[in-house]
Amino acid sequence: IGNELFPLLRCGAPGALAPPGEFASYVGLVGGFLFGSVVMFGIDQLMDRLGEEEDDSDGPKGTQGEATEKTLLLQGGSPAPNYGDDPEQCACIEHFKYYQDAYKGDVREIMKEVDQLQLAAAAHPRQDVDKVVHRLEYSVDVVKGQLRRTPGLTDVERTKLQRHAHALKQDEPKLLNARSRKEALLTISELEKKIAHIHSH
């Protein structure tokens, strides 16, 4: 390093009458080595400080975060989940805290319907099985609505539903006056499609 940083001390400056002596050469070598070491270690320390500042600006990470998590675990607790600054996510978590007991009750009701399905599937007619399956679907829809925080019906939506119900009522004569099984099946299928359309809203 000294020879690279101070070549003039070894070879002599251009136009010099004589090269430097042995003592001056050693001083150049030692001085160059020390200067190069200081520069390298200084750059290394500077890069480490810049990296630490970036970590601090991003939040507790690395050793500090791991130490905090280990301390909480040793104390019998668990580290709090970090949900960031997403207000929607935080609101969903707070909502679920209040709904959690009711949610567990709803899940137990769903499992009761599952028990009924097992019994119906063992020996009951297909119609009874379908009835249990539809009740199970309804129970799941209710829970999904609670979890999604589905809002209540607006006046506009109620008006639309009333119109749909009125349209279904108009199909009553056609349903009652079916003259064959094929005609009745077609009419019921049309009614089913209309009901599915209502349910999609």
Side-chain angles (χ1 to χ4, degrees):
I1 298 174
N3 288 336
E4 293 177 1
L5 294 177
F6 296 95
L8 297 180
L9 293 175
R10 184 182 65 179
C11 303
L17 298 177
E22 185 177 356
F23 176 77
S25 297
Y26 281 119
V27 169
L29 289 172
V30 173
F33 176 80
L34 293 177
F35 179 78
S37 300
V38 170
V39 170
M40 286 190 299
F41 284 108
I43 293 175
D44 184 64
Q45 291 293 325
L46 178 62
M47 297 303 294
D48 287 343
R49 286 181 176 274
L50 292 175
E52 290 175 359
E53 291 177 359
E54 290 178 358
D55 290 342
D56 292 339
S57 64
D58 292 337
K61 293 181 180 179
T63 305
Q64 183 179 359
E66 293 173 359
T68 304
E69 182 173 348
K70 290 179 181 178
T71 302
L72 288 171
L73 292 174
L74 290 174
Q75 293 175 350
S78 58
N82 181 18
Y83 298 107
D85 299 326
D86 186 356
E88 183 177 355
Q89 176 73 359
C90 294
C92 289
I93 294 167
E94 291 299 321
H95 170 261
F96 187 69
K97 288 180 181 178
Y98 292 105
Y99 173 62
Q100 195 167 12
D101 291 338
Y103 167 74
K104 292 178 180 179
D106 291 337
V107 171
R108 294 188 185 98
E109 291 298 322
I110 291 175
M111 291 301 105
K112 289 181 181 179
E113 295 293 347
V114 173
D115 293 337
Q116 292 297 318
L117 178 60
Q118 289 178 330
L119 294 175
H124 288 252
R126 177 183 293 273
Q127 291 82 357
D128 293 344
V129 175
D130 289 342
K131 186 185 298 184
V132 176
V133 171
H134 290 314
R135 286 206 309 263
L136 188 57
E137 289 176 339
Y138 170 75
S139 299
V140 172
D141 282 343
V142 170
V143 177
K144 285 169 58 179
Q146 292 287 347
L147 293 174
R148 291 172 176 170
R149 304 180 68 180
T150 304
L153 293 173
T154 64
D155 292 338
V156 175
E157 290 172 333
R158 293 183 185 279
T159 302
K160 289 182 178 179
L161 286 173
Q162 288 176 342
R163 287 203 299 264
H164 285 308
H166 179 73
L168 294 177
K169 189 66 176 178
Q170 299 302 313
D171 291 337
E172 182 179 4
K174 187 188 298 185
L175 291 166
L176 294 175
N177 297 324
R179 292 172 293 182
S180 65
R181 187 173 61 180
K182 182 179 180 180
E183 184 179 351
L185 181 60
L186 289 174
T187 308
I188 286 292
S189 297
E190 291 176 1
L191 182 68
E192 182 184 26
K193 291 179 182 178
K194 293 177 181 179
I195 294 174
H197 176 73
I198 295 172
H199 190 258
S200 64
H201 291 305

